């Protein structure tokens, strides 16, 4: 018997999150994209925090935060917002 392959979540980006990634400098952008790719295998990694307003989860990548929503029924992680820690929660 073989080992079962872990379920991979599909990663989607809201337009605002994709634009925010494009605006990042090269090194922070690479770090953020690596962290987002890791969400495909583990959308609830150690250190991820459920947001108090119930709108999703948040991971920390250095000084940046990635806010995302998990849909287990469709096996999808949607990245909603990406930004610097001092401004990510302002609307």
């Amino acid at each position: 018997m073989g080992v079962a392959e872990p379920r991979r979540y599909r990663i989607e980006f809201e337009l605002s999150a994709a634009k925010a990634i494009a605006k990042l400098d090269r090194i922070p952008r690479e770090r953020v994209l690596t962290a987002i790719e890791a969400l495909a295998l583990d959308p609830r990694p150690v250190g991820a925090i459920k947001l108090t307003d119930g709108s999703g989860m948040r991971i920390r990548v250095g000084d940046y935060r990635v806010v995302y929503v998990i849909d287990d029924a469709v096996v999808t992680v949607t990245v909603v917002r990406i930004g610097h820690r001092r401004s990510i929660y302002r609307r």
Side-chain angles (χ1 to χ4, degrees):
M1 278 192 215
V3 176
E5 193 170 313
R7 182 162 72 162
R8 286 188 63 87
Y9 283 71
R10 190 170 131 198
I11 305 293
E12 296 180 347
F13 293 87
E14 287 196 356
L15 183 58
S16 59
K19 286 181 179 180
I21 288 175
K23 291 179 183 178
L24 294 176
D25 291 333
R26 185 181 60 83
I27 292 173
R29 180 176 49 241
E30 289 173 358
R31 291 183 70 203
V32 166
L33 287 173
T34 299
I36 291 171
E37 288 172 13
L39 294 174
L41 291 176
D42 184 9
R44 295 172 180 88
V46 173
I49 296 175
K50 184 161 176 55
L51 298 178
T52 55
D53 65 359
S55 65
M57 304 281 289
R58 178 214 53 144
I59 57 171
R60 188 180 111 187
V61 184
D63 286 339
Y64 293 88
R65 304 297 182 261
V66 178
V67 178
Y68 60 98
V69 177
I70 303 167
D71 188 345
D72 289 312
V74 187
V75 193
T76 302
V77 171
T78 304
V79 179
V80 179
R81 287 192 310 270
I82 298 168
H84 195 274
R85 64 185 173 88
R86 70 178 157 224
S87 62
I88 188 69
Y89 303 110
R90 295 182 195 151
R91 291 212 174 186

